[in-house]
């Protein structure tokens, strides 16, 4: 099932991917590949487990 996205939505997604790539390069330069991979995997895990919710973060 493929979702069609608008040009604005695609540009927004592209910008987030660029930011992730830039941050990943910076993290790797400072702390190495293992740290960077681990941090990104942990972030994905928290999202998948729904432990991180924007509305909860705002209240803290």
């Amino acid at each position: 099932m493929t979702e069609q996205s608008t040009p604005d939505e695609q540009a927004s997604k592209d910008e987030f991917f660029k930011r992730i790539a830039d941050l990943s390069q910076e993290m790797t330069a400072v702390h190495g590949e293992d740290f960077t991979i681990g941090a990104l995997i942990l972030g994905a895990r928290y999202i998948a487990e729904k432990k991180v919710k924007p509305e909860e973060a705002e209240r803290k």
Side-chain angles (χ1 to χ4, degrees):
M1 182 190 275
T2 304
E3 212 176 283
Q4 293 289 333
S5 58
T6 65
D8 288 341
E9 183 180 5
Q10 191 58 51
S12 174
K13 289 177 180 180
D14 289 345
E15 180 59 29
F16 278 113
F17 280 127
K18 182 184 180 310
R19 290 169 57 191
I20 290 170
D22 291 344
L23 180 60
S24 297
Q25 288 178 349
E26 183 180 346
M27 291 168 61
T28 300
V30 176
H31 297 293
E33 288 182 2
D34 289 344
F35 169 79
T36 303
I37 291 167
L40 293 171
I41 288 171
L42 278 176
R45 180 178 165 195
Y46 287 137
I47 292 167
E49 292 176 356
K50 298 182 180 15
K51 290 184 178 178
V52 176
K53 297 179 184 172
E55 61 275 4
E56 290 181 6
E58 290 175 10
R59 285 185 250 153
K60 292 182 179 181

